[in-house]
């Protein structure tokens, strides 16, 4: 059975262990016995993606951790928005997808005026730029990414694991506004909220049952399975489109990735369907 690594783009703060346990369990739910799963964290805390400098360092941490995990994986899902999908895909020899990449591919076939609702105003322009760069179709032309208000905290998310009422209210308010503007689908723009909402049955805008709320994590996992099937059939990213490092460039990239993978990073025990010890952050 194939193994899919879900790469969480934080270093795995032990204070959020309840969230990591929940996320690992929900990744197994998405697999539904079709693949083995493991949750990994990047080894360097880069401070998120809300400034260009932080995002550059976060991208490097994701790339470094992805290179480290490919020896134990058959595919990688970068479980965050604002992900450096193209760079990681060009560096790895296994299938790679991410929350934005998979959501964009699916929405192009499922909707005509979708809107991404995310968790903070500072993320909306970043995600909008990513939609443009990745060639998104099927999204509402005007303001395809919108935040809810007030933005959520990690404490809000931890509470929502058992009681998501408040976050659903915030999210649904922004979704309702998007529907009034013409949206025909809403994409959850957060890899933490998506499984929480799915676990609690929030799958459509409350006043508009014909407008689905799409779980970006599910879209990403299904996309990973599709890419794995294509890879098995010999259909892979083109060499000219995704130029891979070879020779000395590959060696130096691997060495740099190893330096980013700090062995002193705190590790969080997580559930995994792989045989042997439970998965831990990498």
């Amino acid at each position: 059975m194939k193994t899919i690594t879900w790469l969480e783009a934080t270093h795995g703060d032990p204070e959020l262990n309840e969230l990591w346990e929940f996320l690992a369990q929900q990744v197994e739910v998405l697999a539904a016995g079709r693949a083995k799963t493991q949750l990994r964290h990047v080894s360097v805390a880069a401070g998120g993606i809300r400034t260009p400098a932080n995002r550059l360092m976060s991208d490097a941490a994701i790339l470094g951790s992805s290179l480290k995990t490919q020896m134990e994986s058959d595919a990688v899902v970068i479980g965050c928005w604002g992900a450096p999908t193209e760079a990681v895909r060009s560096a790895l020899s296994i299938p790679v997808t991410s929350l934005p990449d998979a959501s964009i591919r699916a929405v192009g076939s499922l909707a005509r005026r979708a809107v991404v609702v995310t968790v903070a105003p500072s993320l909306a322009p970043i995600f909008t730029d990513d939609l443009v760069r990745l060639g998104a179709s099927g999204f509402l032309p005007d303001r395809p990414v919108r935040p809810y208000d007030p933005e959520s905290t990690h404490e809000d998310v931890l509470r929502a694991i058992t009681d998501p009422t408040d976050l659903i209210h915030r999210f649904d308010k922004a979704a309702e506004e998007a529907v009034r503007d013409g949206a025909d689908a809403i994409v959850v723009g957060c890899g933490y909220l998506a499984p929480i909402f799915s676990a609690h049955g929030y799958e459509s805008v409350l006043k508009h049952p014909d407008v689905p709320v799409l779980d970006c994590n599910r879209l990403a996992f299904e996309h990973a399975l599709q890419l794995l099937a294509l890879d098995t059939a010999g259909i892979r990213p083109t060499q000219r489109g995704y130029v891979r490092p070879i020779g000395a460039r590959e060696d130096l990239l691997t060495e740099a990735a190893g330096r980013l993978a700090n062995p002193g990073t705190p590790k969080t025990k997580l559930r995994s369907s792989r045989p042997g010890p439970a998965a831990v952050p990498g």
Side-chain angles (χ1 to χ4, degrees):
M1 185 178 289
K2 300 291 187 179
T3 298
I4 296 178
T5 293
W6 191 276
L7 184 61
E8 159 57 30
T10 69
H11 72 295
D13 185 346
E15 293 185 3
L16 302 177
N17 274 357
E18 184 182 359
L19 175 59
W20 311 140
E21 292 282 355
F22 174 80
L23 184 56
Q25 292 166 8
Q26 292 306 306
V27 170
E28 289 189 19
V29 169
L30 294 177
R34 297 172 294 172
K36 298 176 184 178
T37 65
Q38 56 186 9
L39 179 66
R40 294 286 190 263
H41 292 266
V42 298
S43 300
V44 178
I49 63 170
R50 300 190 191 192
T51 75
N54 290 108
R55 183 172 185 179
L56 181 62
M57 191 61 71
S58 176
D59 287 354
I62 290 170
L63 177 58
S65 295
S66 297
L67 283 163
K68 182 180 177 182
T69 64
Q70 72 171 336
M71 297 302 294
E72 59 184 27
S73 306
D74 297 293
V76 172
V77 176
I78 307 171
C80 66
W81 287 78
T85 315
E86 304 100 312
V88 176
R89 184 174 287 145
S90 71
L92 270 60
S93 59
I94 58 176
V96 174
T97 188
S98 64
L99 303 188
D101 187 65
S103 296
I104 286 168
R105 308 309 158 208
V107 165
S109 297
L110 298 175
R112 305 183 81 171
R113 299 177 304 279
V115 165
V116 178
V117 174
T118 189
V119 299
S122 59
L123 294 174
I126 296 172
F127 293 0
T128 300
D129 289 346
D130 285 350
L131 294 184
V132 174
R133 192 187 77 256
L134 292 170
S137 64
F139 287 85
L140 194 69
D142 182 31
R143 296 178 62 209
V145 183
R146 307 181 185 201
Y148 60 56
D149 181 58
E151 65 182 79
S152 52
T153 65
H154 281 140
E155 289 73 21
D156 293 332
V157 175
L158 286 174
R159 285 193 298 270
I161 292 173
T162 54
D163 182 7
T165 304
D166 179 58
L167 289 190
I168 288 176
H169 174 75
R170 293 187 215 176
F171 186 97
D172 198 75
K173 183 177 179 181
E176 172 74 24
E177 177 187 331
V179 173
R180 288 198 298 270
D181 291 342
D184 64 345
I186 304 297
V187 182
V188 183
C190 173
Y192 303 155
L193 294 191
I196 291 173
F197 288 170
S198 291
H200 290 274
Y202 176 61
E203 298 177 345
S204 63
V205 180
L206 294 179
K207 293 181 180 179
H208 303 278
D210 60 331
V211 180
V213 172
L214 301 176
D215 180 339
C216 58
N217 289 22
R218 178 171 294 280
L219 297 179
F221 201 91
E222 295 299 325
H223 193 221
L225 290 173
Q226 293 170 3
L227 293 177
L228 268 172
L230 291 172
D231 184 78
T232 300
I235 302 172
R236 302 180 178 101
T238 68
Q239 295 181 18
R240 294 190 180 191
Y242 292 93
V243 182
R244 295 200 62 207
I246 58 175
R249 288 185 175 86
E250 182 179 14
D251 293 341
L252 289 170
L253 180 65
T254 302
E255 180 183 353
R259 292 179 180 177
L260 280 173
N262 181 358
T265 300
K267 291 178 168 52
T268 306
K269 187 176 180 180
L270 296 168
R271 290 184 49 172
S272 171
S273 58
R274 286 172 60 85
V280 296

